[in-house]
Amino acid sequence: MTDIRADRVFRRATVLGAGVMGRAIAAHLVNGGLDVLLLDVAATEPIPAEAQRGLTAGDRAVRDRLAREAIAQLARTRPAPLFAPRLAGRIEPGNLEDDLPRIAQCDWVIEAVVERLDVKRALWARIDALAAPRPVYSTNTSGISIAALAEGRSPEFQRRFLATHFFNPPRYMHLLELVPCPRTDLEVLEAITAFAERRLGKGVILAKDRPNFIANRIGAYGVMRGVQLMQEQGLTVEAVDALTGPLIGRPKTATFRTCDLVGLDIVVHVARNICEAAPNDPEIDVFAPAPVLERMVAEHRLGDKTSAGFYRKIAGQGGESVIEALDLTTFTYRPKKKERFPEIDALRAKDDLGERLNGLFDAKGAGAAYAWAIVRDCLRYAATVAAEVADDVASIDRAMRWGYGWDLGPFELWERLGLARVAARMEQEGRPAPTWVLEHIRKGAPSFYLRDESGALRTLAVSGSGTHALPDRPGVLTLRPASTGVRWIEGNSGASLWDLGHGALLLEFHSKLNTLGGDAAAMAGRAVTRAEAEFAALVVGNEGTHFSAGANLALLMMAAVEGEFDEIDLMVRQFQQMTMGLRRCARPVVVAPFSLTLGGGTEVTLHGDSVVAAAELYMGLVEVGVGLIPAGGGTKELYVRMLERLGPGADPKEAARLAFETIGMARVSGCAQEARELGLLREGDSIVMSRDQLLERAKTAALELAARGYVPPPPRTAIPVGGAQTWALLEIGLHNLLAARRITEHDRTIGRKLARILSGGDLPGGETASEQQLLDLEREAFLSLCGERKTLERVQHMLKTGKPLRN
Ligand code: NAI
């Protein structure tokens, strides 16, 4: 037994190796609240700039250079590895020669040096020889055997040793694979699992000590088999990407754009590792890198890091950038083509992945043939290696969703198509499903996931027969599949209500990008009514990719183009009723935003009694970007927040200025902490690192408010407003910005409408306005902006390109 407890406190970590992964892991540990010592090889000679400053080889400034420069690099890396640049101050640079003994003051040592068994082993041997106390030791290898790394180390070391395989970039990639060595203590595994989930926000999977673990084994197969099939069928790089992205539930970067991002050298390295370390793999031939890939590596066409891979960006004749694709037959770049397959075009329009896949299954044509073949072979391979790499299918599904961004894991996908139907087709095409799957089908299993008598989910055993309990994830409440005790109640096209158990009701948005229209507003009304009649508390949250991208602009655009202003007026009133309904609800309302929470999504959040936000929160009132102002109560609510922030006796002018800046510049937070700094979240709102734990935490917070004897806030009848003085201040600001050409004429028009709301309309200074008066001003401003041609151009541009237009 070790002295490590599952609820152990981690305060300080050491990261060994300040390369791509080491520095980014260090950054994410800091995001999670740790202090980090980052060590790399000691530099032995001063560079000219150091020599000029009189530094010599013995100076720490010279010896720590690699780690110090890695820390400095974090501020320039995109996407940002740190929640805020200032956090870099919590990473201390050092070197592997002078600072190794300081490991004794750390709770966790993560090694991320080059992927070489000899280098890693030598470093761990030095660490094992250091005096107690001992921390947890983990290696961030992508594929080296953890047992081989542990071999020869002391028993005390081995009990604390495991692999923690982070995916790049660690802040954003959800997956963390944990791989114990034969002697790792259960307590150590549990402690790291709990910490990684709760404080680092990771989705943790327990993997077996097999080459490349779970996600990269199946992921690398997908790329290598994809190249084989591409060459067999004579398709282009663009065609494969058009067929292996969102169409089959994978990220937009599909196959080859992903390779360019990751680096082809790494992709090929991972594949070669399988060839060497898993020679008995039944599909070993697939992993031998195709000659085209070898040639690309030899010619340094590695992707983004060498500015050329399967694609490259060059300057066109007019100075604009042109994307070119590599023609693998001639090995030259040519302008990227838009590859189209008639049988696929109709499928793309279907929002539901299951429907798209089923359509694909039946479709005929070159595109469908390729897409089906790659889906089929990935499902088949995942099933073939399932027992070798994992204990259950859920771990494999999770690994592919969390590590590769698939919408559904292979077994979830197989299930959507029908177990027996897929197996029959595999058989027909001469690529039969593995025996264990056929055996389950023969016994009548309808699905890889089953519910037992108590309603708990289980999965089919990956070898032999029977079922396995789903790996437990404490603190995680999910809707799909529904956790025990969670029940769908009612819904429409935009939103649903769920009984979360223990007296909590959930309002879930579920439209595309969770844009909010009349259906969501109607369901929010039902949520308030039902919460007041049947429940103790209401949660607003969902499991989508984003909390909400804002109001449904397509509906607004249609009404505006037709000049149906009564219709728009009704839409705004409905939206205001939704947000005010949440604010006035007699039960506590807790909102759980995450990821994109824009415009109307922010307005909903601002009207909750309390917020439990995911740390990854990109929140803002961005309406100005589409030529509008927040009119669902967002302008009013942010202004009131600013007044509250400034404290008793606050100057309304100052509160208006602060709200004006945040809305006028369409500021969006880069993380939840920044949303708090912008005043979009309150000091008392919670920030949760784990997206997966968000609904459970929001439910707990809502029930706690209810248990404390919740009283709804009284209507605000007298909000101090600055009247003409505020108006004048904001008007001068707009004038100066226009004179300096920092805003356009239309920006000024929008700014004036905003200023009118924030100053309380035409009131002379020092007076007050009711909440309803401010809402009416919002509505009036919104309607008049809908009549502006330039606003409609902005909306149209956003709908078409997803980007704001400055006009
Ligand atoms: P990198 O090449 O960017 O960094 C390697 C680091 O090791 C450098 O800081 C280097 O100074 C240090 N190093 C080199 N020789 C050394 C020696 N003899 N002793 C001690 N340190 C030495 O590599 P990267 O990509 O950061 O990879 C590090 C580890 O993370 C590898 O094991 C890799 O397989 C693994 N990994 C990499 C991922 C990626 O996408 N790059 C993803 C997941 C894991």
Side-chain angles (χ1 to χ4, degrees):
M1 290 291 283
T2 63
D3 52 352
I4 307 274
R5 292 174 29 176
D7 60 350
R8 179 189 167 103
V9 175
F10 289 90
R11 287 198 181 86
R12 194 172 164 79
T14 301
V15 177
L16 310 172
V20 173
M21 287 306 283
R23 69 183 71 161
I25 291 170
H28 195 58
L29 293 175
V30 166
N31 290 337
L34 296 191
D35 290 302
V36 178
L37 177 63
L38 179 64
L39 308 182
D40 207 323
V41 177
T44 49
E45 288 297 327
I47 51 171
E50 288 166 344
Q52 256 176 15
R53 282 164 48 213
L55 297 172
T56 61
D59 282 308
R60 284 304 290 258
V62 174
R63 292 175 68 73
D64 296 345
R65 185 192 323 121
L66 266 67
R68 203 184 52 249
E69 286 180 350
I71 298 168
Q73 188 64 32
L74 290 173
R76 298 188 285 272
T77 304
R78 291 289 171 272
L82 285 163
F83 282 168
R86 66 169 183 280
L87 292 175
R90 293 185 70 173
I91 310 176
E92 188 191 344
N95 70 71
L96 292 167
E97 296 307 316
D98 304 321
D99 294 307
L100 227 41
R102 294 174 65 197
I103 282 174
Q105 290 131 36
C106 288
D107 309 296
W108 184 6
V109 177
I110 305 182
E111 167 272 308
V113 302
V114 282
E115 184 78 342
R116 276 180 44 190
L117 180 67
D118 59 338
V119 173
K120 287 185 192 277
R121 273 180 62 90
L123 185 55
W124 283 124
R126 285 173 63 203
I127 291 167
D128 191 12
L130 295 170
R134 287 176 179 272
V136 171
Y137 308 107
S138 78
T139 173
N140 183 59
T141 173
S142 336
I144 298 178
S145 159
I146 179 79
L149 286 169
E151 203 184 296
R153 298 282 64 76
S154 68
E156 292 73 30
F157 178 95
Q158 294 193 27
R159 285 206 288 267
R160 292 168 168 81
F161 185 53
L162 73 160
T164 45
H165 183 211
F166 285 87
F167 283 66
N168 191 22
R171 171 179 165 187
Y172 300 95
M173 295 304 292
H174 194 50
L175 181 61
L176 174 65
E177 290 178 326
L178 296 190
V179 192
C181 75
R183 296 174 86 159
T184 313
D185 269 353
L186 188 60
E187 286 90 335
V188 170
L189 266 182
E190 287 176 349
I192 292 291
T193 302
F195 184 81
E197 289 191 336
R198 216 177 296 143
R199 291 276 299 280
L200 302 180
K202 295 295 117 197
V204 174
I205 297 289
L206 194 61
K208 293 188 187 168
D209 188 10
R210 297 297 303 150
N212 297 353
F213 315 126
I214 301 178
N216 281 347
R217 178 78 173 263
I218 296 168
Y221 174 85
V223 175
M224 294 297 158
R225 182 71 184 133
V227 172
Q228 266 188 351
L229 287 168
M230 171 176 77
Q231 297 195 308
E232 277 171 32
Q233 301 187 14
L235 295 180
T236 62
V237 161
E238 302 96 301
V240 168
D241 275 356
L243 295 167
T244 55
L247 175 74
I248 59 168
R250 298 193 191 168
K252 270 201 240 140
T253 49
T255 303
F256 296 123
R257 183 71 199 106
T258 303
C259 288
D260 277 357
L261 283 171
V262 170
L264 192 62
D265 51 340
I266 292 187
V267 175
V268 167
H269 175 87
V270 168
R272 277 210 198 101
N273 189 46
I274 301 276
C275 296
E276 285 161 23
N280 298 324
D281 186 293
E283 298 224 31
I284 194 68
D285 294 348
V286 173
F287 288 98
V292 280
L293 301 184
E294 300 273 21
R295 180 168 169 192
M296 284 178 71
V297 173
E299 294 178 4
H300 293 286
R301 300 178 205 258
L302 304 180
D304 293 10
K305 62 176 125 177
T306 56
S307 303
F310 289 101
Y311 299 96
R312 71 173 184 188
K313 209 190 261 183
I314 56 159
Q317 282 171 347
E320 80 292 5
S321 52
V322 176
I323 297 182
E324 294 188 324
L326 184 62
D327 183 326
L328 291 173
T329 47
T330 60
F331 246 72
T332 52
Y333 288 93
R334 48 154 178 74
K336 182 178 166 216
K337 291 193 271 193
K338 198 161 177 72
E339 295 275 10
R340 305 196 63 163
F341 299 93
E343 78 278 15
I344 300 291
D345 286 351
L347 296 176
R348 284 191 201 285
K350 295 184 192 295
D351 284 343
D352 182 68
L353 174 58
E355 280 184 36
R356 287 201 301 280
L357 289 169
N358 276 296
L360 193 66
F361 193 87
D362 297 324
K364 302 262 173 299
Y370 181 90
W372 160 248
I374 194 69
V375 168
R376 175 199 64 204
D377 289 347
C378 286
L379 301 190
R380 190 170 169 272
Y381 185 71
T384 304
V385 294
E388 181 193 333
V389 300
D391 288 323
D392 53 83
V393 300
S395 297
I396 297 175
D397 281 339
R398 288 172 181 169
M400 298 319 291
R401 277 196 270 115
W402 298 344
Y404 274 73
W406 294 12
D407 290 343
L408 291 176
F411 298 99
E412 292 161 332
L413 212 141
W414 190 327
E415 193 170 307
R416 289 287 178 100
L417 287 165
L419 264 60
R421 187 163 162 242
V422 168
R425 175 115 173 230
M426 286 176 170
E427 178 77 40
Q428 225 176 48
E429 294 172 352
R431 296 182 66 79
T435 323
W436 70 269
V437 178
L438 295 173
E439 200 50 28
H440 280 297
I441 295 174
R442 197 180 57 74
K443 288 188 188 144
S447 157
F448 288 102
Y449 293 86
L450 307 163
R451 289 206 185 262
D452 65 15
E453 316 75 56
S454 70
L457 264 181
R458 300 180 69 82
T459 66
L460 293 182
V462 288
S463 56
S465 58
T467 62
H468 270 300
L470 214 63
D472 192 27
R473 303 191 69 213
V476 177
L477 181 160
T478 61
L479 307 177
R480 295 180 184 82
S483 298
T484 315
V486 171
R487 189 175 59 88
W488 183 86
I489 309 177
E490 62 171 302
N492 60 25
S493 56
S496 285
L497 302 186
W498 294 77
D499 181 346
L500 297 183
H502 308 98
L505 176 68
L506 173 77
L507 167 64
E508 178 210 17
F509 301 134
H510 51 56
S511 60
K512 195 168 184 183
L513 284 175
N514 288 334
T515 54
L516 306 174
D519 44 4
M523 199 45 65
R526 292 281 301 151
V528 170
T529 308
R530 291 192 72 150
E532 290 182 347
E534 304 164 47
F535 291 86
L538 176 61
V539 173
V540 185
N542 65 72
E543 291 180 327
T545 316
H546 303 291
F547 176 74
S548 168
N552 188 331
L553 286 177
L555 292 178
L556 177 74
M557 186 69 196
M558 271 193 290
V561 167
E562 299 290 326
E564 289 172 348
F565 285 89
D566 287 350
E567 182 67 22
I568 299 175
D569 185 62
L570 191 69
M571 283 181 194
V572 181
R573 280 178 198 274
Q574 267 182 342
F575 211 104
Q576 291 186 346
Q577 271 163 17
M578 166 166 74
T579 52
M580 289 306 289
L582 293 172
R583 180 169 151 72
R584 292 188 184 136
C585 180
R587 305 293 184 198
V589 176
V590 172
V591 188
F594 56 89
S595 199
L596 283 189
T597 300
L598 300 177
T602 295
E603 294 186 293
V604 167
T605 308
L606 287 170
H607 285 79
D609 293 300
S610 176
V611 174
V612 175
E616 294 295 348
L617 180 67
Y618 320 123
M619 181 178 186
L621 294 166
V622 294
E623 285 81 350
V624 167
V626 286
L628 296 166
I629 52 94
T635 306
K636 164 211 58 139
E637 205 58 33
L638 189 67
Y639 173 65
V640 173
R641 291 281 175 96
M642 294 306 181
L643 280 173
E644 283 171 6
R645 206 174 198 196
L646 294 170
D651 176 0
K653 282 203 300 302
E654 183 56 11
R657 190 186 65 76
L658 291 170
F660 186 84
E661 255 181 41
T662 302
I663 299 173
M665 292 167 76
R667 284 201 174 132
V668 176
S669 66
C671 64
Q673 182 54 39
E674 198 182 339
R676 188 177 270 162
E677 284 156 21
L678 289 173
L680 295 164
L681 295 183
R682 287 166 292 216
E683 282 306 317
D685 291 334
S686 313
I687 298 177
V688 175
M689 284 295 279
S690 168
R691 220 342 264 289
D692 299 337
Q693 297 182 357
L694 199 60
L695 282 181
E696 176 70 33
R697 294 278 296 270
K699 172 186 163 183
T700 307
L703 291 174
E704 265 171 22
L705 281 177
R708 272 192 255 137
Y710 175 76
V711 181
R716 299 186 186 109
T717 50
I719 301 166
V721 286
Q725 279 189 16
T726 298
W727 166 259
L729 175 85
L730 300 179
E731 172 69 10
I732 293 169
L734 285 169
H735 175 84
N736 291 342
L737 288 170
L738 187 67
R741 298 186 178 206
R742 288 179 51 204
I743 60 170
T744 65
E745 268 295 347
H746 192 50
D747 287 331
R748 177 158 78 163
T749 305
I750 304 161
R752 281 179 159 164
K753 306 275 180 199
L754 189 59
R756 189 172 141 77
I757 308 164
L758 292 170
S759 55
D762 297 324
L763 300 167
E767 294 201 18
T768 61
S770 72
E771 220 163 357
Q772 190 55 50
Q773 279 172 318
L774 293 183
L775 288 171
D776 291 343
L777 286 170
E778 284 186 4
R779 200 159 36 81
E780 184 189 309
F782 190 92
L783 278 168
S784 75
L785 285 168
C786 283
E788 296 271 347
R789 185 179 49 83
K790 291 201 164 179
T791 284
L792 296 192
E793 282 170 13
R794 286 191 184 191
V795 174
Q796 201 163 24
H797 192 267
M798 177 60 75
L799 285 170
K800 226 165 139 185
T801 66
K803 298 198 175 79
L805 170 75
R806 291 282 316 272
N807 59 356

